[in-house]
Amino acid sequence: MKTLKLLTLLLILSYSCSSSDEEQTPTETPIVNKNVKNVKYPTSSNTNGMAGINTNLDFYYDNDQLSTIYNFPYTYGVNYINNNLIELDIIAEITSGDVTGKRSIHLNNNTVQFIIDEKTTSYTNSPSIEAKDSINYTYQNQYLSKVEFYSKSTGPFSNPDYRLNKKIEFTVENGNVVKTVSTGNFLIKTSIYTYDNKTNIKYSGFAIESPLNLGFDYILLHDKTGLSNQNNIISINNTFEGEIRREYETITYEYVLDSNERLSEIIISGTTIRTLPSPETTTFTNEKTEFIY
């Protein structure tokens, strides 16, 4: 009987130790990928027809560093030349001509100072066209205060000297861009932004009409154009001086996060307006910009 009791006690102790070991075994925390691979904009004709905006952007990485951007009709290879220069070379294109070119991003202390965008388009039976755009960035108190867009070109209908096409001026209050005034193309557009009281969500600046989303390379430059907004835009109201072919008039925003607290969707509702060729206002509801990681 004593032997049986001893064996029973040993079995209980063995099971207890085994259970304790299992409980103390650390579990591995899964690695969450935070690199955006694809951004899909809404395609509804009510959302301004997305004129001039690609409905899909694709991003590729090498060891977590952005290496390739696909922005129809061009594919760009990203080259980190040094701390003050990043170059985006056109490595593939889908156009009627043969296009070569690059986008040179010049920085100082990891902040964009200016961008030079060069493209040469060659045709079999027509003169080639060379276009060169320059975007200049100005800052005040570490926030973006002005962006100026210049362009020049050679070839048919050329403009050999740089010409200012558009200027955007920013007003910042309490760590957020609360107003922009965009002047160019015979139109003055004033945008008023309101914000929530929540911490800024990474990549929320990708939203349509966001004041800090200035190009297809936002993923690359989102942390290189001065201080970001402290909070998240919840509405925009635009007013205009000049004739309008189609512009956003009002937008409200809702941000959806996935189970890993990454931005998954930006849902917008609002109105668009035009005065040419005839006055018209349209509404749109629950249109989504989607993010894939």
Side-chain angles (χ1 to χ4, degrees):
M1 181 64 69
K2 289 183 179 180
T3 302
L4 180 60
K5 289 182 178 180
L6 180 60
L7 287 173
T8 301
L9 179 61
L10 288 173
L11 285 170
I12 293 172
L13 289 174
S14 175
Y15 176 78
S16 175
C17 290
S18 176
S19 299
S20 177
D21 289 342
E22 288 178 2
E23 290 173 1
Q24 294 176 6
T25 301
T27 58
E28 293 186 6
T29 302
I31 298 174
V32 178
N33 174 34
K34 295 186 178 182
N35 295 329
V36 175
K37 295 181 178 179
N38 174 265
V39 176
K40 182 180 180 181
Y41 282 107
T43 57
S44 168
S45 60
N46 290 332
T47 54
N48 202 16
M50 298 311 300
I53 300 178
N54 187 9
T55 57
N56 278 285
L57 295 171
D58 293 314
F59 305 95
Y60 303 88
Y61 299 83
D62 184 6
N63 294 323
D64 285 334
Q65 188 173 60
L66 187 61
S67 60
T68 308
I69 301 173
Y70 174 68
N71 175 44
F72 181 85
Y74 305 112
T75 300
Y76 293 87
V78 183
N79 300 301
Y80 301 87
I81 307 302
N82 54 50
N83 290 337
N84 295 322
L85 178 61
I86 303 172
E87 291 184 347
L88 277 59
D89 294 310
I90 296 176
I91 57 177
E93 41 85 19
I94 306 172
T95 61
S96 58
D98 181 20
V99 180
T100 59
K102 66 180 176 181
R103 185 174 175 91
S104 302
I105 302 165
H106 297 261
L107 308 101
N108 183 32
N109 293 325
N110 202 43
T111 303
V112 178
Q113 304 300 303
F114 63 95
I115 297 175
I116 301 294
D117 204 335
E118 303 172 88
K119 288 188 180 74
T120 299
T121 306
S122 302
Y123 300 96
T124 303
N125 299 314
S126 302
S128 62
I129 298 174
E130 295 182 4
K132 192 172 186 178
D133 298 332
S134 175
I135 309 173
N136 294 344
Y137 292 71
T138 303
Y139 301 87
Q140 184 175 0
N141 298 324
Q142 299 184 65
Y143 285 95
L144 194 59
S145 62
K146 183 169 62 177
V147 180
E148 297 168 297
F149 300 81
Y150 295 86
S151 68
K152 68 178 181 178
S153 62
T154 61
F157 310 105
S158 66
N159 174 40
D161 299 317
Y162 272 122
R163 178 177 60 190
L164 178 62
N165 292 328
K166 187 170 74 169
K167 175 178 65 175
I168 304 175
E169 296 173 288
F170 300 75
T171 300
V172 177
E173 293 179 2
N174 300 319
N176 294 312
V177 176
V178 296
K179 177 182 177 181
T180 60
V181 178
S182 173
T183 306
N185 298 320
F186 307 103
L187 182 68
I188 299 175
K189 172 183 174 182
T190 302
S191 303
I192 303 298
Y193 309 90
T194 58
Y195 292 79
D196 61 18
N197 58 2
K198 300 176 182 178
T199 302
N200 183 261
I201 300 169
K202 188 175 183 179
Y203 300 138
S204 62
F206 232 129
I208 292 172
E209 290 286 289
S210 167
L212 299 179
N213 184 2
L214 299 173
F216 68 90
D217 47 9
Y218 171 80
I219 284 286
L220 178 65
L221 302 182
H222 75 278
D223 57 353
K224 298 178 177 62
T225 54
L227 295 176
S228 299
N229 286 326
Q230 290 190 7
N231 307 112
N232 305 288
I233 297 173
I234 55 175
S235 70
I236 293 179
N237 186 73
N238 294 327
T239 56
F240 305 92
E241 297 177 41
E243 297 292 350
I244 309 165
R245 293 199 175 275
R246 177 69 70 189
E247 291 281 351
Y248 291 101
E249 183 181 34
T250 62
I251 303 179
T252 59
Y253 299 84
E254 178 186 349
Y255 304 92
V256 179
L257 305 183
D258 64 15
S259 59
N260 291 307
E261 297 299 308
R262 302 172 300 187
L263 182 61
S264 175
E265 297 176 346
I266 302 175
I267 303 174
I268 62 172
S269 300
T271 58
T272 68
I273 189 174
R274 78 178 188 190
T275 59
L276 292 174
S278 60
E280 181 184 60
T281 299
T282 61
T283 62
F284 57 92
T285 305
N286 295 333
E287 296 288 347
K288 296 179 181 180
T289 298
E290 300 174 273
F291 298 79
I292 297 174
Y293 297 83

